[in-house]
Amino acid sequence: MILNVPGNEPASPICSAKGCRAAAVWVLAWNNPKLHTPERRKTWLACEEHREHLSQFLGVRGFLKDVVLLEEWESPEQA
């Protein structure tokens, strides 16, 4: 499971946008080709409000690889 909250308690994944505490709905999979191998995927989480902004931020840099609903990313088919 992907979480943005440190600690041992179960918590809902939250948006990666600075200062946002909303529940995450989307997973933005990305990598920096100057630092990561092509198959490596880093992830940011996004709420509905910040999905487009975070996607554009990664997209203009050529980092964005995929945008997937969180529930689909966590499904056994993705594992």
Side-chain angles (χ1 to χ4, degrees):
M1 177 176 240
I2 301 169
L3 295 178
N4 262 6
V5 182
N8 296 329
E9 294 180 25
S12 297
I14 60 167
C15 182
S16 297
K18 186 176 182 178
C20 185
R21 306 307 293 166
V25 178
W26 298 95
V27 175
L28 286 64
W30 63 277
N31 84 7
N32 179 340
K34 292 182 181 180
L35 302 175
H36 308 121
T37 59
E39 66 279 354
R40 177 140 186 225
R41 292 294 180 265
K42 305 275 286 174
T43 56
W44 280 358
L45 303 178
C47 64
E48 286 292 344
E49 181 181 350
H50 291 111
R51 180 184 61 89
E52 186 62 31
H53 171 73
L54 293 173
S55 294
Q56 286 179 358
F57 180 90
L58 293 168
V60 298
R61 290 159 178 79
F63 295 175
L64 186 63
K65 302 301 178 193
D66 205 3
V67 178
V68 179
L69 283 167
L70 179 62
E71 63 192 29
E72 292 175 14
W73 185 267
E74 294 178 335
S75 72
E77 295 89 36
Q78 291 287 332

